[in-house]
Amino acid sequence: GLEFGLQLPFRFLPGALKHFGTIMNMTLTKSDQTYSSLQGAVIAVAPGTSTGLATAPLLTVNGPFVNASKTQYNVTLYYEDERFGARMSYSYRGPYYDSVSSGNNNIFDGFSAIKTLDASARFSVTSNIDVTLDATNLLDSYIYHFTDKDGQRNLEYYHTGRTITLGARMKF
């Protein structure tokens, strides 16, 4: 895989623009792993055997590393001075598998791609008191968790909604 990162304050710009900056990163991953799994756990054995039970045959399948997306990236634009600071961040994570088998004879459970936009701001009322505003999931993204790499049948589909929080910080 490859990972790229950049943090660039715009100090070279004139006036108030010198307080802006950006932070960016990108991860590209190509992976292949052989997984083995017992499917069905225990099955009945043919008549005439002495034990009565046996384990299911071992299933071997190739796939990407679990919990690794092929593509992920984040882009943040920020403004920062003595009294005020603000950030807006966009994130993308490509689809990925989070488990090899869910125990229900499906191969790979995973998540679809997700895009999020978050923002935060801080204002220093005094040298000891800050007022903050944080907003998450501004794109109102849903999370799709699926089972079976080929069928990608719905396992969970959930929604946290947008969250906006107003707060204050005091330094003693």
Side-chain angles (χ1 to χ4, degrees), residues 3 8 29 68 96 112 124 133 166 170:
E3 183 171 278
L8 179 63
T29 305
Y96 65 96
S112 64
S124 296
L133 179 67
L166 179 64
M170 180 180 273

Side-chain angles (χ1 to χ4, degrees), residues 33 35 61-64 66 97-102 106-110 146-149:
Q33 172 74 38
Y35 297 96
V61 62
N62 284 347
V66 172
Y97 299 121
D98 70 325
S99 66
V100 178
S101 173
S102 59
N106 292 308
I107 301 169
F108 293 114
D109 289 350
F146 61 84
T147 188
D148 191 37
K149 73 177 185 119

Side-chain angles (χ1 to χ4, degrees), residues 97-154:
Y97 299 121
D98 70 325
S99 66
V100 178
S101 173
S102 59
N104 56 11
N105 291 330
N106 292 308
I107 301 169
F108 293 114
D109 289 350
F111 289 88
S112 64
I114 187 161
K115 302 167 187 172
T116 60
L117 181 66
D118 302 327
S120 65
R122 169 203 50 85
F123 178 73
S124 296
V125 179
T126 69
S127 60
N128 294 341
I129 299 173
D130 289 346
V131 176
T132 60
L133 179 67
D134 296 301
T136 58
N137 195 20
L138 290 171
L139 297 176
D140 203 22
S141 299
Y142 285 70
I143 298 171
Y144 178 61
H145 191 189
F146 61 84
T147 188
D148 191 37
K149 73 177 185 119
D150 295 324
Q152 294 194 359
R153 292 179 301 281
N154 186 43

Side-chain angles (χ1 to χ4, degrees), residues 3-172:
E3 183 171 278
F4 305 97
L6 172 69
Q7 182 168 356
L8 179 63
F10 298 156
R11 284 178 254 193
F12 54 87
L13 294 175
L17 294 176
K18 69 181 176 191
H19 297 289
F20 281 95
T22 188
I23 302 169
M24 295 184 252
N25 64 59
M26 175 181 260
T27 303
L28 304 171
T29 305
K30 183 177 180 184
S31 60
D32 189 50
Q33 172 74 38
T34 300
Y35 297 96
S36 297
S37 176
L38 286 173
Q39 294 294 309
V42 178
I43 58 172
V45 175
T49 62
S50 59
T51 63
L53 297 174
T55 58
L58 195 63
L59 174 68
T60 302
V61 62
N62 284 347
F65 293 158
V66 172
N67 291 318
S69 296
K70 287 183 181 182
T71 305
Q72 298 182 93
Y73 58 87
N74 302 286
V75 178
T76 299
L77 179 64
Y78 66 87
Y79 178 92
E80 202 67 49
D81 69 20
E82 302 79 33
R83 300 243 6 227
F84 178 74
R87 293 175 176 257
M88 182 158 290
S89 298
Y90 177 81
S91 297
Y92 170 82
R93 181 171 187 181
Y96 65 96
Y97 299 121
D98 70 325
S99 66
V100 178
S101 173
S102 59
N104 56 11
N105 291 330
N106 292 308
I107 301 169
F108 293 114
D109 289 350
F111 289 88
S112 64
I114 187 161
K115 302 167 187 172
T116 60
L117 181 66
D118 302 327
S120 65
R122 169 203 50 85
F123 178 73
S124 296
V125 179
T126 69
S127 60
N128 294 341
I129 299 173
D130 289 346
V131 176
T132 60
L133 179 67
D134 296 301
T136 58
N137 195 20
L138 290 171
L139 297 176
D140 203 22
S141 299
Y142 285 70
I143 298 171
Y144 178 61
H145 191 189
F146 61 84
T147 188
D148 191 37
K149 73 177 185 119
D150 295 324
Q152 294 194 359
R153 292 179 301 281
N154 186 43
L155 189 59
E156 296 175 298
Y157 188 68
Y158 50 98
H159 177 237
T160 59
R162 295 176 185 97
T163 304
I164 299 173
T165 308
L166 179 64
R169 258 190 315 233
M170 180 180 273
K171 300 175 199 168
F172 295 101

